[in-house]
Amino acid sequence: MKNDIDTKTLLNVYEQIQKHGEQTEKGKLYQGLYAYSDIDGYTVYIEGSGVLLRFGFHNTYHLDYQSDKNKEDFMNKVLSIAHQD
């Protein structure tokens, strides 16, 4: 998946999850999505619905998923959070 999601939207969703989410061992959990970062903070992750999104250096991201259904569910959650507030 390349350039399907605006990077500003991804950062906004990450921040919304951090702001409104419940702390877990994995990271903050909000509306079925986890958000966390690596130790140095250069790479952030959004995970849920069988999808792992890595967002990092030079505003690039990569999605790992097994099926299009997983990707669709994940994207619906991301867009739902993006349209809040």
Side-chain angles (χ1 to χ4, degrees), residues 63-77:
L63 287 174
D64 290 319
Y65 57 93
Q66 293 294 318
S67 73
D68 288 338
K69 174 74 170 118
N70 293 132
K71 177 185 164 190
E72 182 180 330
D73 290 345
F74 178 83
M75 291 302 301
N76 287 337
K77 289 177 183 178

Side-chain angles (χ1 to χ4, degrees), residues 48-61:
S49 298
V51 176
L52 175 63
L53 180 144
R54 291 187 318 265
F55 182 88
F57 200 59
H58 294 297
N59 289 329
T60 59
Y61 66 89

Side-chain angles (χ1 to χ4, degrees), residues 21 24 30 36 38 41 43 52-53 58-59 63 83:
T24 70
Y30 182 64
Y36 52 95
D38 60 4
T43 304
L52 175 63
L53 180 144
H58 294 297
N59 289 329
L63 287 174
H83 290 98

